[in-house]
């Protein structure tokens, strides 16, 4: 039987970073992953360029049953800490939008950086390798049965990620292990995911597929209200784009309605009425000059108004109704594109059962959960990787 100080299960973003840090602290670390290719999620992330962090990261950018849980780890490992590491490895990057940092060339650079950091820490990696069982020992530590033999370790770190994109190695192994050791699981749900509608209800909008525009989207009420100003994309089956991905994470039930303002910079209900005095255009031309043409045509059809009618002859009430229908489009999705298309998992191992300082289980000493398997879910924009790095760093310091 081989002995290690730490076995890290899952060699994705959090597992690689935790193993490297623990190794560099002088611990004997074994990193195990069941997939044949290393860190596929990093590879495909950010359209192949990995949005590896965000310049501005705080607890408000995360969802969790306990929104304060991530505070400690985020305070101790900041975006600047990760940026310094990236710079030390000579990786060129740029800021795209709202603080989002991407590699200039390829996400492979981040994977190579993590592999190099693991090599510096003398980390042993077994891949592909599966773990059949983890047994806590009475005097502390664990026995593990793996496909490469039995292993003993003082600590075990579970970094098996979330359920999205099963075809590249996602599994519920970490959740099952947590449940077996009596941890509470917050129901996992697809998040950062495109939303879908009944084909019949979506038929009037299906021709808009491919249209993208900046919108304001919101859901919920009071303290639970979430609101994003981002781009929305019409698809054949429903809605996608950053605005929809962001708001999808805040849906707690399938029948939860969204409110969409399709022209947040305009006040069409007022503007169209005011334009009557000076415009000699037809309604369709005037309305179409303020919105993407395809959208304007679809919204005129929904309002059952004649596009050829001179604006000056339109009733104020009709123009106000048309304008309001653009600014206040209430709709209730019927579902989402599921784990195949989700970028992250909402829910996971309950933060109630973990230390926010170290990510150690309160139920099984020596057992840790880090990264996406934990009930901490980031916004779109580099926040999920930042949680992977920060939770890994907090854990590695405590091992
Ligand atoms: P991660 O999924 O990275 O790693 C888990 C590892 O565990 C995998 O290697 C898996 O093979 C392994 N594993 C699973 N079960 C196992 C088992 N039973 N035994 C052994 N190993 C097992 N985030 C972001 O911040 N910026 C971005 O640009 C993107 N882009 C993006 C695009 C797409 C298409 C997706 C699907 C996701 C993103 N994300 C993202 C989210 C981000 O990829 C994700 O949050 C992190 O990779 C989570 O890191 P973890 O290490 O927790 O899991």
């Amino acid at each position: 039987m081989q002995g290690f100080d730490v076995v890290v299960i899952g060699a994705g973003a959090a597992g690689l970073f935790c193993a490297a840090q623990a190794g560099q602290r002088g611990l004997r670390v074994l990193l195990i992953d069941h997939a044949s290719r290393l860190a596929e999620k990093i590879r495909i992330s950010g359209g192949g360029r990995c949005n590896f962090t965000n310049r501005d990261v705080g607890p408000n950018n995360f969802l969790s049953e306990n929104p304060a849980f991530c505070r400690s780890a985020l305070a101790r490992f900041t975006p600047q800490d990760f940026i310094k590491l990236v710079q030390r490895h000579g990786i060129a990057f740029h800021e795209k939008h709202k603080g989002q940092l991407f590699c200039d060339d390829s996400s492979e650079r981040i994977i190579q950086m993590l592999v190099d950091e693991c090599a510096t820490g003398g980390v042993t990696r077994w891949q592909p390798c599966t773990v059949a069982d983890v047994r806590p020992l009475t005097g502390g530590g664990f026995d593990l049965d793996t496909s490469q033999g039995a292993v003993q370790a003082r600590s075990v770190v579970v970094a098996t990620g979330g359920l999205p994109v099963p075809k590249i190695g996602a599994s519920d192994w970490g959740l099952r292990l947590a449940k077996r050791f009596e941890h509470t699981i917050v129901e996992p749900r697809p998040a950062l995911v495109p939303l879908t509608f009944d084909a019949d209800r979506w038929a009037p909008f299906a021709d808009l597929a491919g249209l993208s525009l900046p919108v304001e989207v919101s859901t919920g009420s009071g303290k639970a209200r979430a609101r994003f100003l981002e781009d929305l994309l019409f698809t054949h089956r429903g809605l996608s784009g950053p605005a929809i991905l962001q708001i999808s994470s805040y849906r707690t039930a399938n029948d939860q309605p969204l409110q969409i303002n399709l022209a947040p910079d305009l006040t069409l209900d007022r503007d169209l009425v005011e334009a009557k005095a000076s415009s000699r255009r037809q309604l369709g031309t005037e309305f179409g000059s303020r919105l993407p043409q395809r959208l304007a045509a679809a919204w005129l059809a929904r309002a059952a108004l004649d596009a050829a009618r001179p604006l000056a002859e339109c009733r104020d009430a009709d123009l106000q109704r048309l304008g309001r229908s653009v600014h206040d489009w209430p709709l209730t999705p019927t579902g989402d594109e599921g784990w195949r298309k989700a970028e992250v998992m909402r829910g996971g191992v309950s933060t109630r059962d973990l230390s926010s300082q170290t990510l150690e289980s309160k139920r099984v000493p020596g057992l840790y959960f880090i990264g996406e398997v934990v009930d901490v879910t980031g916004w779109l924009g580099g926040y999920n990787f930042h949680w992977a790095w920060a939770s890994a760093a907090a854990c590695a310091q405590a091992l």
Side-chain angles (χ1 to χ4, degrees):
M1 164 140 12
Q2 297 200 51
F4 291 89
D5 294 315
V6 189
V7 176
V8 179
I9 303 167
L16 279 162
F17 197 52
C18 181
Q21 303 252 307
Q24 290 176 24
R25 288 190 48 229
L27 300 178
R28 288 167 307 143
V29 181
L30 171 64
L31 177 59
I32 291 178
D33 201 294
H34 68 167
S36 44
R37 288 192 80 192
L38 179 66
E40 269 297 271
K41 282 237 176 111
I42 301 181
R43 188 167 288 108
I44 63 171
S45 68
R49 292 224 162 94
C50 187
N51 176 194
F52 55 79
T53 190
N54 193 293
R55 284 202 192 280
D56 186 19
V57 174
N60 290 344
N61 305 115
F62 295 85
L63 293 90
S64 169
E65 260 190 7
N66 175 3
F69 180 83
C70 58
R71 191 178 291 277
S72 165
L74 295 178
R76 286 180 292 142
F77 190 83
T78 65
Q80 204 48 44
D81 292 322
F82 198 75
I83 291 168
K84 272 194 214 138
L85 182 66
V86 166
Q87 286 170 331
R88 195 148 48 74
H89 283 257
I91 300 174
F93 63 91
H94 59 279
E95 182 174 332
K96 222 176 177 177
H97 168 66
K98 297 192 174 175
Q100 300 167 6
L101 301 184
F102 287 77
C103 296
D104 281 359
D105 42 14
S106 158
S107 47
E108 295 285 351
R109 299 293 307 273
I110 297 292
I111 300 175
Q112 192 54 50
M113 175 187 88
L114 295 168
V115 168
D116 292 347
E117 288 288 310
C118 281
T120 306
V123 172
T124 304
R125 178 155 54 94
W126 291 353
Q127 185 169 10
C129 174
T130 54
V131 180
D133 198 15
V134 176
R135 288 181 301 278
L137 303 170
T138 19
F142 300 84
D143 271 346
L144 291 90
D145 297 330
T146 84
S147 55
Q148 296 198 26
V151 177
Q152 210 161 63
R154 191 161 47 78
S155 311
V156 169
V157 179
V158 178
T160 46
L163 299 177
V165 205
K167 73 169 190 244
I168 58 166
S171 83
D172 65 351
W173 188 90
L175 297 176
R176 279 190 284 118
L177 184 88
K179 221 186 265 177
R180 181 152 70 85
F181 291 131
E182 296 179 352
H183 297 73
T184 305
I185 305 296
V186 178
E187 188 200 349
R189 292 174 65 99
L192 297 181
V193 65
L195 299 175
T196 55
F197 296 81
D198 276 346
D200 284 351
R201 278 185 46 220
W202 197 245
F205 310 108
D207 281 348
L208 297 175
L211 177 69
S212 167
L213 74 166
V215 304
E216 179 188 309
V217 57
S218 56
T219 194
S221 58
K223 267 190 158 180
R225 183 160 186 267
R227 186 183 79 97
F228 292 93
L229 272 165
E230 285 280 5
D231 283 357
L232 168 147
L233 173 70
F234 284 88
T235 71
H236 289 289
R237 287 160 50 85
L239 293 172
S240 186
I244 294 302
L245 299 186
Q246 297 281 36
I247 212 75
S248 73
S249 302
Y250 285 84
R251 291 175 71 239
T252 49
N254 261 343
D255 58 358
Q256 184 170 328
L258 307 179
Q259 288 81 39
I260 300 182
N261 181 346
L262 290 163
D265 294 334
L266 303 177
T267 46
L268 284 171
D269 43 345
R270 261 204 349 241
D271 301 348
L272 289 171
V273 174
E274 280 171 15
K276 269 176 76 171
S278 56
S279 172
R280 304 174 137 224
R281 288 164 157 179
Q282 295 175 334
L283 171 60
T285 316
E286 186 65 50
F287 191 50
S289 70
R290 294 160 193 259
L291 289 175
Q293 286 286 344
R294 279 198 287 163
L295 184 74
W299 253 249
L300 276 170
R302 284 184 72 216
L305 293 175
D306 179 6
R309 188 163 190 163
L311 184 74
E313 292 176 17
C314 293
R315 290 175 8 166
D316 286 4
D318 284 341
L319 295 178
Q320 284 161 347
R321 178 168 59 85
L322 178 63
R324 274 198 302 271
S325 72
V326 172
H327 294 306
D328 185 11
W329 183 29
L331 78 173
T332 304
T334 31
D336 59 50
E337 295 280 5
W339 296 115
R340 207 170 46 87
K341 288 282 179 73
E343 280 201 13
V344 281
M345 170 177 86
R346 188 179 168 173
V349 180
S350 172
T351 56
R352 257 183 281 167
D353 292 330
L354 304 176
S355 152
S356 63
Q357 304 288 313
T358 64
L359 285 300
E360 187 175 12
S361 162
K362 291 178 183 167
R363 300 195 170 269
V364 183
L367 180 66
Y368 297 76
F369 292 88
I370 59 172
E372 197 178 317
V373 73
V374 178
D375 172 34
V376 173
T377 308
W379 285 3
L380 187 77
Y383 300 101
N384 285 295
F385 278 135
H386 198 79
W387 170 246
W389 319 135
S391 57
C395 169
Q397 279 159 26
L399 289 167

